[in-house]
Amino acid sequence: MNGDRPIDVLVVGAGPAGVAAGIGARRAGAGRVVVLERDWDLGGILQQCIHPGFGLQTFKEELTGPEYMHRFVVQAHEAGVEFLANTMVFGMDPDGSVWTMNRDRGLEHLIPGATVLAMGCRERPLGAIRIPGSRPAGIYTAGTAQRFVNMEGQMPGNRAVILGSGDIGLIMARRMIWEGATVEGVYEVMPWAGGLRRNIAQCLDDYGIPFHLETTVTRVHGRDRLEGVTVAKVDGARAPVPGTERFVPCDTLLLAVGLIPENELSRGAGVELHPVTGGPVVNDLLQTSRPPVFAAGNAVIVYDLVDNVSDEGLRAGANAARYARGELPAPDRSIPVRGGENVRLFSPQFVTGASDVTVYLRVSRPFECPCRVFAEPGLFSQKLRYARPGEMNEVRLGADCIRALTDLKEIVVDVEAL
C-alpha cells in the first residue's frame, strides 16, 4: 500500500465496530478510509452467530448475526470504505501508524491521519481459570464450539457441561440440544447469571437445561478424551465447599467464563488501558491517551448488544475523520468519570462536554427491585425495574448541562435501590 494515495482514517478490525467506524469516517468527510481484517471475510464473530436476536434497536427487526453484518457491509461499500482482508496488524506506533503483513502485499508500514482500534474481544481460556486435572480433548471455549457447529458442520461432542453463563455459552447450550447432544448442566460460580435474562429463559428454561448458581468445575477427568468433570458448590469467597463435590460424566466441556478486550496493539503503542475494563481509557469522543488513536466497541468495554457496538463505531469513525482533517482540537476540559460503590465497570472514563454522551455501566451485583441509575452532581436520574450485572445500563449526559457547570471536577455514576 506504500505509494498509494494517503489514508485519512485506518480501522483495525472488520467486525461490527470496525465496519461501522469506516462508515462513520466516510460520512464525516474522510477522503480515504481503509479497514484492515486478519480473517478472509468481514463481520468478525457475528458470522458464526446464526441465531436471531440482533438489530432490534438499529433496524427495529430481529436479524441473525450474518444478516446484521451484511446490512452494514453494504452501507460501507456504498460509502466508499476500502477493505483489506487477510491482513495481520502486528504492531502499532504511538502516532497510530501500524505494521501489517499480507500474503500478497508483504510487509507494510501504514501511516494514516487517524486510527480506530476495533479489534473486539476474545474468550478466557481454560488456563485463565486454573482448573486442576489433565488437559484431554473435548474442552473448548463456547465461541470455538460455536464456530465448529455453525460454520464447520462439526459437533464437538455428544454430552456437554457448560462452565459459566455468558451469552455465548447459553446460546451454545441450546444449540447443542438442537443438534442432538445432551447438556448435563450450566454451572456458574457467581450467585447470578452472567448473560442476558432473555437467554436464560430462551436457551435454558425452554429446554429444561439445569442451571446451577454458585457452583463451579473443580477438576477435569480423562487422559486422551474428556470423561467427566467434578463440580462443587462455592462459598462467598468462591472457594469450593468441602463435601459438595460430585462427578458429572461428559465428553465436552464448554467454557463461557468471560470475554477480554483484545488490546495487545494498544498496549504496545503505549495507549493507557483501564485496569477493570481491560480496554483503552477513552473520553466521550472515543479518543485514547494517544490523540491520533481512537477506539470503539468490545475493544473498549464488552457490550451486551451489538447495536451499541455499531453506534460507538460510527462515532469513533466520525471523530477520527475530524481529527485527520485537523478539526478536532485538544479538548478544553477533561472531566473524569468515577463509578460509585455499585458499579463494576463503565465507559467512557472522561467527558469533555463537546457533545451529548452516553456513559455505559454494569452493576457489581443484581438489583431485583425498583432502583435508579444516576449521575452526580444532579446530571441524570432514571428509574429502573431492575439492574443486573449481565446487562448494560446507560447514563445520558447533556453537553449543555456539563458546560453550564464550569467548576465541575468529577462525575459519579451509580445505581441504588429505591
Side-chain angles (χ1 to χ4, degrees):
M1 196 171 289
N2 288 334
D4 292 351
R5 60 192 176 92
I7 299 172
D8 296 287
V9 175
L10 188 71
V11 182
V12 182
V19 173
I23 297 169
R26 282 289 293 166
R27 288 178 179 172
R32 189 182 186 202
V33 177
V34 177
V35 180
L36 306 175
E37 170 57 45
R38 64 187 171 193
D39 203 352
W40 64 274
D41 200 4
L42 313 178
I45 196 172
L46 285 194
Q47 294 290 8
Q48 66 189 55
C49 298
I50 61 175
H51 54 279
F54 300 92
L56 287 170
Q57 290 185 12
T58 304
F59 298 110
K60 311 304 179 190
E61 57 182 307
E62 202 170 27
L63 305 172
T64 66
E67 288 172 335
Y68 180 92
M69 276 313 305
H70 177 70
R71 296 193 181 191
F72 271 93
V73 170
V74 169
Q75 291 180 41
H77 284 303
E78 290 174 348
V81 177
E82 299 177 38
F83 291 96
L84 191 56
N86 295 314
T87 302
M88 175 64 73
V89 180
F90 61 87
M92 182 173 72
D93 294 334
D95 62 357
S97 62
V98 301
W99 295 87
T100 67
M101 175 61 76
N102 176 284
R103 62 187 177 192
D104 297 320
R105 308 177 70 95
L107 177 68
E108 291 183 294
H109 185 209
L110 307 181
I111 308 174
T115 299
V116 179
L117 302 176
M119 297 84 71
C121 57
R122 62 168 176 262
E123 298 172 286
R124 290 184 191 275
L126 184 64
I129 52 179
R130 301 177 181 175
I131 297 177
S134 54
R135 292 295 180 264
I139 303 174
Y140 309 89
T141 63
T144 299
Q146 186 181 53
R147 183 178 181 88
F148 282 164
V149 176
N150 292 352
M151 300 190 73
E152 312 293 341
Q154 301 290 329
M155 281 290 286
N158 298 307
R159 191 174 188 179
V161 162
I162 298 176
L163 176 60
S165 57
D167 288 312
I168 302 176
L170 300 176
I171 290 165
M172 276 310 296
R174 178 180 63 182
R175 185 67 174 152
M176 295 290 284
I177 294 289
W178 284 354
E179 295 298 328
T182 300
V183 178
E184 296 296 330
V186 175
Y187 298 88
E188 169 59 59
V189 71
M190 300 298 290
W192 51 76
L196 296 172
R197 181 58 61 95
R198 74 181 189 198
N199 283 333
I200 297 291
Q202 296 173 359
C203 300
L204 302 187
D205 296 347
D206 287 356
Y207 295 89
I209 298 173
F211 183 32
H212 305 272
L213 294 171
E214 297 182 282
T215 308
T216 191
V217 172
T218 58
R219 180 169 289 276
V220 298
H221 303 271
R223 181 174 180 179
D224 297 322
R225 177 76 195 194
L226 182 68
E227 298 174 357
V229 297
T230 297
V231 299
K233 298 290 289 184
V234 299
D235 59 20
R238 293 185 233 171
V241 178
T244 64
E245 302 91 348
R246 63 184 177 89
F247 178 77
V248 179
C250 62
D251 63 10
T252 305
L253 174 62
L254 302 186
L255 305 174
V257 291
L259 301 168
I260 310 168
E262 193 164 312
N263 276 291
E264 282 72 17
L265 288 177
S266 315
R267 188 176 295 107
V271 172
E272 181 183 0
L273 300 181
H274 194 276
V276 179
T277 66
V281 172
V282 295
N283 61 19
D284 52 336
L285 304 171
L286 298 168
Q287 192 172 29
T288 72
S289 60
R290 299 293 187 189
V293 180
F294 296 74
N298 289 339
V300 176
I301 188 172
V302 177
Y303 286 94
D304 52 352
L305 298 178
V306 70
D307 307 84
N308 294 334
V309 170
S310 297
D311 179 67
E312 195 165 278
L314 289 168
R315 292 190 293 115
N319 288 326
R322 293 170 59 199
Y323 183 90
R325 291 200 306 270
E327 297 175 0
L328 192 70
D332 296 329
R333 305 171 71 190
S334 188
I335 304 162
V337 179
R338 180 169 63 84
E341 62 176 336
N342 294 314
V343 171
R344 182 167 64 90
L345 47 80
F346 59 92
S347 178
Q349 289 80 26
F350 291 93
V351 171
T352 66
S355 61
D356 295 348
V357 59
T358 299
V359 176
Y360 294 94
L361 65 87
R362 289 183 190 268
V363 292
S364 56
R365 62 181 178 86
F367 288 80
E368 299 292 349
C369 62
C371 53
R372 74 173 185 121
V373 57
F374 61 92
E376 295 290 356
L379 294 169
F380 179 82
S381 180
Q382 182 181 38
K383 292 182 179 179
L384 304 172
R385 290 188 294 123
Y386 56 83
R388 296 164 180 152
E391 301 177 15
M392 203 69 97
N393 292 282
E394 300 180 6
V395 169
R396 291 179 287 279
L397 303 176
D400 291 342
C401 294
I402 295 172
R403 285 196 289 264
L405 298 172
T406 55
D407 60 346
L408 184 60
K409 304 298 184 186
E410 180 184 66
I411 297 172
V412 179
V413 295
D414 206 351
V415 174
E416 66 178 7
L418 294 176

